[in-house]
Amino acid sequence: MREDLQEAWGLIEAGRYEEAEACLRQDPTPEARFVLGYALAFGGRLEEALALYQVLYRETGSHKALHQAGFVLRLLGRLEEALAVFKEEARLPLGPLERAVNLYEQGYAAFLMGRKGEARSLLEEGLRLAQAAGDPACMAPLHRGLWEWHRRFGSPEAAEAHWEAARRLFLEAGDPRGAEEMGNP
């Protein structure tokens, strides 16, 4: 990854979104604009991030830009639109990890909409793909989604097992913030 983009990511991870934006605004490349979308989204400027990702998708056809547009729609609470975007993304050629991430987003949106069976099925399918790939960064959010699902609809024992797995995998993936956001079971 380019050094300037690594610097911008570091600023985003440190919560310094405006500084990251200032670094990225000067660079019109799709790569820099993609990272800029993160700075905008995590800085609370969701509508701007959405517009940027939609333009990037039209310009590049990148499934990552489409995915991020769906992610921002989910953050905005526009769940039906987010789910439609994730289903559109699922029709694109995706590798196993990309497919697992897509299934997480579809499942989590369905969960937020109270679609019990659909949500569980999508999250479990995504977890199977992520486990087959052995990627802790991909498995962690799927376990987190299943933890939330079981807290609401399932058994306390299953919820606790998914919570423990998610925390362990976030830490294994080098994401202590993800583990911390898990809170207590």
Side-chain angles (χ1 to χ4, degrees):
M1 179 182 286
R2 292 180 1 207
E3 192 175 308
D4 59 330
L5 296 182
Q6 284 181 318
E7 179 184 341
W9 277 117
L11 291 168
I12 291 168
E13 288 174 2
R16 297 164 51 191
Y17 309 117
E18 290 178 9
E19 291 175 59
E21 179 185 355
C23 291
L24 296 163
R25 283 279 182 202
Q26 308 307 314
D27 187 343
T29 64
E31 297 82 14
R33 290 165 55 216
F34 184 82
V35 178
L36 174 60
Y38 272 84
L40 294 171
F42 289 105
R45 294 163 58 193
L46 296 173
E47 292 291 346
E48 289 176 71
L50 175 60
L52 176 60
Y53 285 128
Q54 288 171 329
V55 167
L56 275 172
Y57 179 62
R58 283 194 301 273
E59 291 176 359
T60 67
S62 162
H63 80 85
K64 291 179 181 180
L66 181 62
H67 181 87
Q68 288 308 118
F71 170 72
V72 173
L73 283 165
R74 179 172 61 77
L75 292 178
L76 284 165
R78 294 162 55 182
L79 300 175
E80 290 289 348
E81 291 173 79
L83 190 54
V85 166
F86 294 128
K87 286 182 179 184
E88 180 181 345
E89 178 193 18
R91 291 190 289 273
L92 300 173
L94 302 174
L97 286 177
E98 296 160 335
R99 177 89 175 118
V101 171
N102 174 272
L103 288 165
Y104 165 76
E105 287 292 355
Q106 284 190 62
Y108 198 67
F111 167 76
L112 292 173
M113 290 186 279
R115 297 180 183 173
K116 180 179 175 181
E118 179 183 2
R120 183 176 183 179
S121 175
L122 290 163
L123 291 168
E124 287 177 344
E125 183 182 349
L127 182 57
R128 279 190 297 279
L129 284 173
Q131 287 171 328
D135 188 306
C138 191
M139 287 186 277
L142 285 152
H143 275 290
R144 181 183 58 212
L146 286 163
W147 165 58
E148 290 186 52
W149 189 94
H150 279 283
R151 275 186 25 197
R152 183 192 269 174
F153 303 119
S155 74
E157 297 81 15
E160 186 173 343
H162 283 293
W163 180 86
E164 289 173 2
R167 281 197 43 93
R168 177 182 50 77
L169 289 162
F170 276 123
L171 293 171
E172 187 178 321
D175 185 359
R177 186 173 169 188
E180 183 181 306
E181 288 173 354
M182 293 289 301
N184 295 317

